[in-house]
């Protein structure tokens, strides 16, 4: 056993097992793939973008809690397109039929899209409609209640009834002759998302009347992907059923087009995109590396050498995922491309050494042993160091990255073990099948010439490298950082696109900053909210905030209501007398007062009101569900929400400092919002990335030192890596690739990827004492390995998620530069420092026994 970090006999023992028991190893590979197929089908897809961010961070948790309590993630939004020049009655009739099919469906709890009779729904509040007026509006109301005002109102009613108004509008005039209801209905927002009711149809129509919105509450949460699939499949059937029933009612022409969005559809689309990314990444990277492998070695049989170990290693990793996590998300779904890009390096370097040994006349058995005795040590060290850098992700609070690190680190170790066993097994089986030795080949792609050129012109190489490093280093200062977590979502998710359209058309605002106020009970939460409201409204100056939306917008505060009550009392009104005067005015206008009796009775009660309206009084009324937008009950009490909207184009990355300072001084209040989370992530991401990078670098350095024997050798093997990362960051800046919450951790990934190339070159230098021909052969394997890594990571560029695309682009740059520097800068430095091997012979002799 050597004094190195790794047992040098382990690679030899593994390749000998593969050579001696090839059929058994092959059968184990097939069995592993079968088990992976069974367990892999049970892996769940996690679509919540917040699952990628730190779990134990208080600001993130506050945001999650606020979204869970007040958000619309569990609402299905149905958009009924209103055809051009369509009869609105026909569109509403279609919506009625579709709503009926949904209400009869056992997957749906409730459907909201219209007030079946806005007046009937509002009647319980009509007796208190005066309380919904602002104090300054009471004088105008009292003026309308004078004999002259009542006469004018009666004439106005007559004019409106004679005009071609809708039935609903005429009914409104009969039940509310003085016009108290519009002030109340103006506050109605259905479904807790801020949609106002169209007064003519009672439906949720946008201002242009191009879209009718329906709010549907399914019985299961949006995170249940299997339920979402059932829901989506059933919705299309119910659209067809509604269309048939609509035509039976006598409506002709094309039926309105129906589309769906909201949390359920977005989650389902995300899951489909994640699975698509996994399949596309797996297939594209696998096909790409296979073609490159064939081009490099120019032998069809080599495809099997690459394919079977990769598939088996991926299968073992799938088994690990199913057992350890049971889920994949938009980030961990990238593991297949990563493993293929990394794992193919092991196969290329080992098979390249086999080709070299066989071409020099070595027997098959001795060539297999050479894989473990020489190259295998470097491959195993590279795998362990690469795995260690991915494992260093566990220090980050970002759960998605932490899981990706554990998953990929474990996958690398499983894959390298698979390669050590399967490659010798397949070489042995194919050797027996094909009989005598065939000529083997490894395409250099010019890498051997580049390596020789650098070693022949060391000064020029050092000068060129230094100048390039200075240039890329200067470009790093122009690197931009995108910390908005919303930019991590896929722009290809149709649900997100449609939801944004709905938000714009209906004035919905799903993601403002929210000041959440918690109380032990309902009254305490509302009291706290009202206490902070004046200070929040003082920030509505166009610079800090554009508007503030609170429960006060739903119903007046107690003080305003009491002022209204006092003003009505001071006016010393005689409600019955006013009612009689109104009847006279109606009769004088040619109208029958009997048709307005219900409205007159409500007017009498509204003028006699002496007690303020409270939240509890809204139960059973049109405003009951609207309260849920602002006030919710939870296991610890009640929470009230105050929605704070920033001016257009401002405060996307941070909360206004004055707002943050105001809320921080209120222990009962919490400020939550995407921009608040973005600011917090920006604060912690650099620290987490630095911790992961430093830990990975330290682990790699210590393992290299233990294996290579001296700290100088370890440092030299890291030079291409460090310089390559400078080049990578500079190139990202020049290409306009922003650093974001995902690709910032590519620095740690590149440590694991790039260090392998330097290790392989340094091991070969020590083995051959700097022989140029030997180094040129190794440069071939490094070049091909780098190219296949680029293909593997290149599959990420095809992802639907911007964060993963940027990870792929950054990793490609890192692989190019670290490989290039490993075959140019590193051998030149070794030459200049006069490095030679003074222990490799002893280690090799020990490994043979």
């Amino acid at each position: 056993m050597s004094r190195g970090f790794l047992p040098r006999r382990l690679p030899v023992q593994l390749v000998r097992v593969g050579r001696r028991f090839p059929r058994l190893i092959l059968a184990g590979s097939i069995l592993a793939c079968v088990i992976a197929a069974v367990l892999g089908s049970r892996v769940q897809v996690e679509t919540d973008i917040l699952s990628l961010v730190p779990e134990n961070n208080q600001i993130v948790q506050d945001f999650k809690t606020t979204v869970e309590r007040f958000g619309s993630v569990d609402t299905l939004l149905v958009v009924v397109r209103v055809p051009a020049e369509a009869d609105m009655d026909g569109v509403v009739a279609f919506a009625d039929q579709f709503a009926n099919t949904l209400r009869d469906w056992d997957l749906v709890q409730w459907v909201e899209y219209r007030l079946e009779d806005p007046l009937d729904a509002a009647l319980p509040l009509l007796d208190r409609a005066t309380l919904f007026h602002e104090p300054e509006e009471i004088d105008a109301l009292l003026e309308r209640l004078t004999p002259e005002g009542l006469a004018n109102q009666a004439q106005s009613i007559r004019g409106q009834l004679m005009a071609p108004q809708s039935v609903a509008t005429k009914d409104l005039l009969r039940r509310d002759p003085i016009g108290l209801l519009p002030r109340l209905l103006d506050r109605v927002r259905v479904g807790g998302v801020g949609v106002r009711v169209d007064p003519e149809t009672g439906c949720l129509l946008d201002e242009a009347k191009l879209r009718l919105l329906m709010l549907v509450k399914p019985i299961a949460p949006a995170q249940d992907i299997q339920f979402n699939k059932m829901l989506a499949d059933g919705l299309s059937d119910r659209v067809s059923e509604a269309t048939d029933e609509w035509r039976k009612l006598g409506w002709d022409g094309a039926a309105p087009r129906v589309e769906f969005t909201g949390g359920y559809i977005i989650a389902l689309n995300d899951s489909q995109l994640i699975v698509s990314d996994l399949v596309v990444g797996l297939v594209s990277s696998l096909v790409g590396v296979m073609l490159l492998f064939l081009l490099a070695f120019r032998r069809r049989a080599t495809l099997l050498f690459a394919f079977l170990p990769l598939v088996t290693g991926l299968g073992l990793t799938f088994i690990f995922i199913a057992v350890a996590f049971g889920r994949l998300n938009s980030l961990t779904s990238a593991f297949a491309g990563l493993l293929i890009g990394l794992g193919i390096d092991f196969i290329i370097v080992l098979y390249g050494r086999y080709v070299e040994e066989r071409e020099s006349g070595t027997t098959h058995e001795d060539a297999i042993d050479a894989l473990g005795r020489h190259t295998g040590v470097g491959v195993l060290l590279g795998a362990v160091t690469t795995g260690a850098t991915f494992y260093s992700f566990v220090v980050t609070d970002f759960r998605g990255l932490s899981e990706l690190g554990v998953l990929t680190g474990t996958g690398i170790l499983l894959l390298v073990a698979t390669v050590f066993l399967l490659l010798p097994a397949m070489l042995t089986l194919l050797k027996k099948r094909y009989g005598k030795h065939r000529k083997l080949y490894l395409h250099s792609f010019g890498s051997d010439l580049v390596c020789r050129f650098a070693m022949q012109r060391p000064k020029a190489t050092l000068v060129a490298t230094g100048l390039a490093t200075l240039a890329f280093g200067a470009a790093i200062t122009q690197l931009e950082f995108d910390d908005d977590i919303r930019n991590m979502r896929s722009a290809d998710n149709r649900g997100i696109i449609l939801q944004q359209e709905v938000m714009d058309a209906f004035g919905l605002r799903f993601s403002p900053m929210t000041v959440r106020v918690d109380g032990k009970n309902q009254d305490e939460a509302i009291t706290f909210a009202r206490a902070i409201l004046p200070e929040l409204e003082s920030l509505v100056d166009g610079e800090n905030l554009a508007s503030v939306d609170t429960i006060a917008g739903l119903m007046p505060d107690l003080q305003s209501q009491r002022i209204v009550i006092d003003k009505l009392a001071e006016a010393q009104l005689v409600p019955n007398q006013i009612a009689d005067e109104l009847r006279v005015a109606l009769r004088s206008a040619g109208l029958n007062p009997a048709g307005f009796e219900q409205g007159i009775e409500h007017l009498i009660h509204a003028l006699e009101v002496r007690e303020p309206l409270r939240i509890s009084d809204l139960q059973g009324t049109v405003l009951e569900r609207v309260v849920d937008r602002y006030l919710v009950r939870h296991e610890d009490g009640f929470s009230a929400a105050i929605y704070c909207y920033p001016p257009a184009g401002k405060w996307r990355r941070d909360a206004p400092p004055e707002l943050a300072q105001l809320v921080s001084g209120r222990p009962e209040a919490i400020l939550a919002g995407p921009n608040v989370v973005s600011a917090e992530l920006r604060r912690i991401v650099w620290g987490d990335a630095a911790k992961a990078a430093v830990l990975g670098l330290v682990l790699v350095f210590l393992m290299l030192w233990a294996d290579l024997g001296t700290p100088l050798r370890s440092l030299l093997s890291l030079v291409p890596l460090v310089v390559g990362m400078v080049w990578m960051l500079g190139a990202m800046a020049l290409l306009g690739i922003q650093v974001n919450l995902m690709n910032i951790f590519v620095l740690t990934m590149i440590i694991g990827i790039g260090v392998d190339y330097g290790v392989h070159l340094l091991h070969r230098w020590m083995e051959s004492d700097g022989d140029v021909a030997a180094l040129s052969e190794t440069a071939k394997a490094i070049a091909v390995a780098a190219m296949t890594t680029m293909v593997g990571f290149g599959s990420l560029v095809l992802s639907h998620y911007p964060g993963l695309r940027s990870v792929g682009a950054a990793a490609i740059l890192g692989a190019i530069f670290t490989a290039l520097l490993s075959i140019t800068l590193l051998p030149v430095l070794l030459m200049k420092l006069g490095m030679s091997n003074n222990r490799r012979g002893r280690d090799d002799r020990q490994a043979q026994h």
Side-chain angles (χ1 to χ4, degrees), residues 262-564:
Y264 292 86
I265 303 303
I266 291 174
L268 179 60
N269 289 351
D270 265 340
S271 70
Q272 294 169 342
L273 292 175
I274 290 171
V275 172
S276 173
D277 279 0
L278 178 61
V279 173
V280 171
L282 176 61
V283 173
S284 62
S285 57
L286 197 56
V287 171
V289 298
M290 292 296 101
L291 292 176
L292 192 56
F293 206 79
L294 178 62
L295 181 62
F297 292 101
R298 297 185 180 181
R299 186 181 178 193
R300 288 193 300 273
T302 59
L303 294 179
L304 187 61
F305 301 155
F307 180 79
L308 193 55
L310 287 177
V311 171
T312 303
L314 289 172
L316 291 173
T317 306
F318 257 114
I319 295 174
F320 173 74
I321 293 171
V323 174
F325 300 112
R327 63 178 181 270
L328 287 172
N329 55 49
S330 61
L331 187 55
T332 54
S333 65
F335 85 94
L338 296 179
L339 288 183
I340 290 174
L342 296 170
I344 194 67
D345 292 2
F346 309 145
I347 301 171
I348 289 172
V349 174
L350 289 173
Y351 184 64
R353 183 57 183 261
Y354 179 81
V355 169
E356 183 182 345
E357 292 289 334
R358 296 287 277 144
E359 287 302 302
S360 66
T362 305
T363 64
H364 168 73
E365 289 74 13
D366 289 341
I368 292 293
D369 277 359
L371 302 185
R373 189 169 59 251
H374 298 299
T375 309
V377 176
V379 168
L380 184 58
L381 177 61
V384 172
T385 54
T386 301
T389 56
F390 276 96
Y391 280 127
S392 68
F393 284 177
V394 298
V395 301
T396 177
D397 291 329
F398 290 76
R399 197 190 86 187
L401 284 167
S402 178
E403 290 183 359
L404 178 65
V406 173
L407 191 159
T408 308
T410 303
I412 289 170
L413 298 181
L414 292 172
L415 191 52
V416 75
T418 302
V419 171
F420 274 129
L421 291 170
L422 264 177
L423 182 60
M426 290 185 295
L427 287 170
T428 301
L429 290 174
L430 288 178
K431 172 184 175 294
K432 293 178 180 179
R433 177 178 178 181
Y434 285 104
K436 65 177 185 178
H437 164 63
R438 288 185 172 189
K439 182 175 178 60
L440 303 176
Y441 182 83
L442 174 59
H443 200 301
S444 68
F445 297 100
S447 57
D448 55 338
L449 300 178
V450 172
C451 183
R452 291 176 183 273
F453 181 85
M455 296 181 70
Q456 291 169 359
R457 296 170 177 79
K459 291 184 179 180
T461 299
L462 292 175
V463 170
T465 302
L467 292 175
T469 303
L470 290 175
F472 282 125
I476 292 177
T477 59
Q478 305 301 315
L479 199 60
E480 297 181 351
F481 184 74
D482 178 12
D483 60 356
D484 193 337
I485 192 171
R486 289 170 291 189
N487 292 338
M488 297 297 101
R489 302 214 71 151
S490 172
D492 299 318
N493 189 320
R494 172 60 185 165
I496 294 177
I497 297 172
L498 182 57
Q499 179 172 275
Q500 186 61 51
E501 178 188 331
V502 171
M503 291 171 65
D504 294 339
F506 286 87
L508 304 185
R509 297 172 287 189
F510 287 111
S511 55
M513 290 175 287
T514 303
V515 176
R516 194 185 86 227
V517 183
D518 299 327
K520 296 178 182 178
N521 52 54
Q522 175 178 290
D523 290 338
E524 184 177 69
I526 295 176
T527 299
F528 286 156
R530 293 199 185 280
I532 196 175
L533 184 57
E535 295 177 83
L536 291 174
E537 290 178 334
S538 69
L539 297 179
V540 181
D541 53 9
E543 177 62 30
N544 289 288
L545 296 176
S547 64
V548 174
D549 185 15
T550 73
I551 198 167
L554 175 64
M555 60 180 294
D557 61 84
L558 292 177
Q559 183 179 359
S560 296
Q561 292 186 64
R562 289 193 175 99
I563 294 175
V564 169

Side-chain angles (χ1 to χ4, degrees), residues 345 447 450-451 720-721 724 727 750 753-758 761 778-779 781-787 789-790 812-827:
D345 292 2
S447 57
V450 172
C451 183
L721 171 65
W727 287 20
I750 292 299
I753 298 169
V755 72
D756 290 0
Y757 306 140
L761 196 289
T778 300
I782 290 175
V784 176
M787 293 174 69
T789 298
M790 290 163 54
I812 289 173
L813 294 173
I816 292 174
F817 293 141
T818 53
L820 178 61
L821 290 164
S822 294
I823 65 176
T824 56
L825 178 61
L826 182 55

